[in-house]
Amino acid sequence: MSSTLTRPAPAGDAAVRDAGPPRRRTKVFALPETRWAAAALALFLIGLPLYLLGAPAWAWGPLFALTYATGGWEPGWAGLQALREKTLDVDLLMVVAALGAAAIGQVLDGALLIVIFATSGALEAIATARTADSVRGLLDLAPTTATRLADDGTEETVPTEQLAVGDTILVRPGERIGADGRVLDGASEVDQATITGEPLPVAKEAGDEVFAGTLNGTGALRVKVERDPSDSVIARIVAMVEEASETKAPTQLFIEKIEQRYSLGMVAATLALFALPLLFGAALQPTLLRAMTFMIVASPCAVVLATMPPLLSAIANAGRHGVLVKSAVVMEQLGRIDAVALDKTGTLTEGTPRVTDIRPMAASGLSEEELLRIAATAEHPSEHPLARAIVDAARTRGLAIPLVEDFTSAPGTGVTATVEGKAVAVGSPARLLNGRTGHAAAVVAARLEDEGRTAVLVEIENTPVGVLGIADRLREETAATVTALTGLTGTAPVLVTGDNPRAAARLAEEVGITDIRAGLLPQDKVTAVQELERAGRKVLVVGDGVNDAPALAAAHTGIAMGRAGSDLALETADAVVVRDELATIPTVVALSRRARRLVVQNLAIAAVFITGLVIWDLAGTLPLPLGVAGHEGSTVIVGLNGLRLLADGAWRRARSGNGQ
């Protein structure tokens, strides 16, 4: 192997790589929607105590007027633009209702409505900006430059976008791979969790495929570029997330589905109630008062508030228990899901390799503790994830790890060292046994690998003395969560993973999943979700990695595991399990269903009040104070009904109701 291939990367470059790609994040107050909403809220909060304490109108009036202006001009302008397209926007209706409330003396109600809508718009703008930040930041995973090798062996540093199919690049230890391609020469282990979700680095040698943006280990590789950088897997992930975000139909709350008809009907009725009596000679002031009273009692404000408190209460309750639901729309969507697709690594498992089996050979005379201590001593200087798992297991058992001598590491093979005067090798059974398939250690290793574990052979003086089994540990609550989700949806979840089929099958058998789709790239996960949706299912996807982001975006609802989740997954998902407590997922789904039932109850209550007050106003003479009192009374009733979901008891009932 030439010196070019084995030459280490400069220390400065390694330091930059270890720091990871810079995180791009839009500042909250860089968004105009946030600034206007914050101004409206501040003005409202200043004016509110003055109003409630009975201060003169000149003290609080200008503050509320500025609240209307700062919080209402953007939705009002957007509504007017929608009118040009012959669409009546609910935001415009809310602004008109707020102005109407102010016109008949209900200044506080109108200001509160303006603040609610301005804040909602700001939150939506923040969520959109953060998702865009994460999509752009994903491109930082792929390095901006690569080392291209000329035919005569000379090196040239070039921007990765200038790489062409057929070029040969050099990837030194610790560098990120600059393009999708195939290894021509060298051996190393590549961490490709961002693409496949595999929990452990994968050994790569001549002939193996590698992906742009994945992290090279301790070896050096010559790679032949096989895809244009614009068509790499990481670039396609970006494209899929953006496409899904743009084409995914905007989901509306239940009440918003009848928004247009209701809004048009109410506006038409208000205008008719004002214009027709005037045509027949009625006096202006009482006619205007009746029309404004009608608009107040018939306005959808009460209906909107009937819808929001249960959903917002459920969001707050879920947040206290470690589930961040990003909007009321998402909380309502969660209750509609009838199929679940689960990622494996980092979702059903902890995402960290652990020693699961310690198998000393009978002829070695070693105990499990002695075998583990020897392996941990040899692996102690190594930074490989398998080495860390072995060392951690030894420390957990309280085993002493003596000093090691003559340590060397061979990518794809393992490590060698002198431990207590003896030559010890720890690594790949296939490489260390060198074809001795009939050896007892080979039989044990094959059995462990058939069970979905990674087998690690330990040799002393070239004699196999034992085998360690290492696997990503299943979360304790995984089986119960799968059972609960099955009960909620009527069908068992689907396992969608980039991990190898054997590891996927073993885990699925443990937790009761029968539909297993393994070895999937990000686009394959999207295809699996789309197949379920074409069958009429509303799919919930649960994942944590960059490779899960396209599926999270394409699904009806996506939930990300928050503790180790990638930025892109966290921003793309509709909800985040902050503490990685898998058991909270079926609970929040059950809570969403309870919230939707309360929404229906509240809509029925609001409809009864609105209908009664409207009939009274049309058939008789509804006093304005009584109309406002009835309108506000219905709002209070449905609000209190929705707030029932704030109590911890609602979470406990949701948990017990889904079988946990």
Side-chain angles (χ1 to χ4, degrees):
M1 193 176 295
S2 70
S3 60
T4 299
L5 186 61
T6 56
R7 188 182 307 145
D13 292 345
V16 172
R17 287 193 302 271
D18 292 341
R23 187 173 183 181
R24 306 180 186 184
R25 207 153 179 81
T26 299
K27 294 182 179 179
V28 170
F29 284 99
L31 301 170
E33 295 90 345
T34 306
R35 295 196 297 270
W36 289 116
L41 178 60
L43 290 164
F44 178 78
L45 292 177
I46 295 171
L48 180 61
L50 297 174
Y51 179 90
L52 295 177
L53 292 173
W58 60 262
W60 49 261
L63 293 170
F64 282 159
L66 288 172
T67 299
Y68 280 74
T70 54
W73 83 267
E74 274 199 323
W77 179 248
L80 291 174
Q81 289 179 315
L83 278 179
R84 294 175 59 185
E85 304 296 328
K86 299 181 180 180
T87 300
L88 185 59
D89 193 283
V90 73
D91 287 358
L92 178 61
L93 193 59
M94 289 299 98
V95 172
V96 171
L99 294 174
I104 59 172
Q106 305 301 316
V107 179
L108 177 64
D109 291 350
L112 177 60
L113 194 59
I114 288 290
V115 169
I116 289 173
F117 269 77
T119 303
S120 174
L123 292 174
E124 182 179 353
I126 292 170
T128 302
R130 289 291 165 83
T131 300
D133 290 343
S134 294
V135 172
R136 289 194 304 268
L138 178 59
L139 292 174
D140 290 330
L141 287 173
T144 56
T145 61
T147 303
R148 183 166 60 190
L149 298 178
D151 293 338
D152 60 1
T154 58
E155 300 177 14
E156 178 188 11
T157 300
V158 297
T160 50
E161 61 266 22
Q162 292 183 12
L163 294 175
V165 175
D167 284 349
T168 300
I169 59 175
L170 171 65
V171 186
R172 292 190 173 91
E175 289 184 342
R176 288 191 179 273
I177 296 172
D180 289 2
R182 199 164 299 276
V183 177
L184 294 176
D185 191 12
S188 187
E189 287 158 330
V190 176
D191 180 354
Q192 52 188 36
T194 53
I195 302 297
T196 66
E198 293 172 285
L200 298 174
V202 179
K204 299 290 184 179
E205 56 186 17
D208 290 335
E209 185 178 21
V210 291
F211 303 107
T214 55
L215 184 63
N216 188 27
T218 56
L221 300 172
R222 275 197 184 96
V223 175
K224 181 179 180 181
V225 177
E226 292 190 337
R227 289 193 191 96
D228 187 272
S230 63
D231 193 40
S232 67
V233 172
I234 203 79
R236 278 184 278 167
I237 291 177
V238 172
M240 283 188 292
V241 171
E242 290 177 336
E243 182 181 357
S245 299
E246 291 172 1
T247 60
K248 190 175 180 180
T251 307
Q252 295 175 305
L253 290 173
F254 175 75
I255 189 58
E256 290 174 348
K257 293 179 180 179
I258 58 172
E259 158 190 324
Q260 286 296 305
R261 293 180 182 177
Y262 185 91
S263 301
L264 288 170
M266 178 188 136
V267 170
T270 301
L271 292 175
L273 197 60
F274 175 64
L276 290 177
L278 291 179
L279 292 176
F280 289 96
L284 176 61
Q285 186 170 351
T287 302
L288 177 60
L289 183 61
R290 178 190 288 265
M292 293 308 299
T293 301
F294 173 83
M295 189 175 74
I296 292 298
V297 300
S299 75
C301 305
V303 178
V304 170
L305 293 176
T307 304
M308 296 302 289
L311 299 174
L312 295 178
S313 297
I315 289 173
N317 201 335
R320 289 203 310 271
H321 292 88
V323 183
L324 173 62
V325 180
K326 294 186 178 180
S327 71
V329 172
V330 173
M331 180 54 77
E332 193 210 19
Q333 283 179 259
L334 279 168
R336 296 170 176 261
I337 61 109
D338 56 10
V340 181
L342 300 170
D343 173 48
K344 172 183 171 287
T345 305
T347 301
L348 299 183
T349 67
E350 295 178 351
T352 304
R354 310 275 184 176
V355 174
T356 57
D357 300 86
I358 305 173
R359 305 283 181 85
M361 298 294 98
S364 70
L366 298 175
S367 65
E368 289 187 3
E369 285 74 15
E370 289 171 329
L371 176 63
L372 180 60
R373 183 181 65 84
I374 291 170
T377 302
E379 292 277 21
H380 187 257
S382 174
E383 290 297 318
H384 193 282
L386 292 181
R388 291 196 293 269
I390 293 170
V391 173
D392 288 345
R395 286 175 173 163
T396 300
R397 295 191 179 209
L399 303 179
I401 301 177
L403 294 175
V404 64
E405 299 175 353
D406 304 325
F407 173 83
T408 59
S409 175
T413 300
V415 303
T416 58
T418 300
V419 178
E420 298 173 338
K422 297 180 179 179
V424 174
V426 183
S428 164
R431 297 290 180 86
L432 294 179
L433 289 172
N434 196 23
R436 291 176 285 170
T437 55
H439 195 283
V443 174
V444 172
R447 187 180 301 122
L448 288 174
E449 290 172 349
D450 287 340
E451 293 173 355
R453 292 160 170 78
T454 298
V456 176
L457 180 68
V458 182
E459 285 188 344
I460 299 178
E461 300 292 353
N462 294 320
T463 300
V465 295
V467 182
L468 304 178
I470 299 177
D472 190 5
R473 189 163 65 183
L474 195 68
R475 296 185 191 275
E476 293 181 0
E477 68 270 26
T478 296
T481 299
V482 169
T483 300
L485 289 172
T486 302
L488 284 168
T489 62
T491 56
V494 179
L495 182 63
V496 289
T497 177
D499 210 347
N500 67 79
R502 285 190 303 184
R506 174 181 169 275
L507 178 140
E509 184 179 359
E510 285 188 45
V511 301
I513 295 177
T514 55
D515 191 346
I516 307 163
R517 308 186 189 190
L520 303 183
L521 289 174
Q523 61 266 32
D524 301 323
K525 292 188 177 185
V526 173
T527 300
V529 171
Q530 290 173 340
E531 286 177 1
L532 291 170
E533 292 186 336
R534 281 195 294 269
R537 312 300 293 274
K538 290 181 171 58
V539 184
L540 167 66
V541 171
V542 185
D544 72 307
V546 167
N547 59 316
D548 299 315
L552 290 169
H556 180 264
T557 312
I559 296 181
M561 306 298 284
R563 186 164 291 171
S566 69
D567 286 348
L568 185 62
L570 297 180
E571 300 294 353
T572 303
D574 301 300
V576 177
V577 181
V578 178
R579 296 191 289 266
D580 280 8
E581 295 172 351
L582 196 63
T584 58
I585 293 175
T587 304
V588 78
V589 172
L591 186 68
S592 169
R593 294 185 176 183
R594 289 174 181 266
R596 293 183 69 237
R597 287 195 291 271
L598 278 184
V599 167
V600 173
Q601 290 177 17
N602 282 349
L603 289 173
I605 294 170
V608 168
F609 271 84
I610 289 173
T611 303
L613 293 171
V614 165
I615 291 174
W616 189 348
D617 187 52
L618 294 177
T621 302
L622 174 63
L624 178 59
L626 190 57
V628 172
H631 181 268
E632 297 302 320
S634 65
T635 302
V636 170
I637 291 173
V638 298
L640 291 176
N641 191 39
L643 293 178
R644 289 162 48 196
L645 292 183
L646 277 175
D648 284 338
W651 182 267
R652 290 194 297 270
R653 286 189 293 273
R655 183 174 56 197
S656 60
N658 66 54
Q660 293 183 64

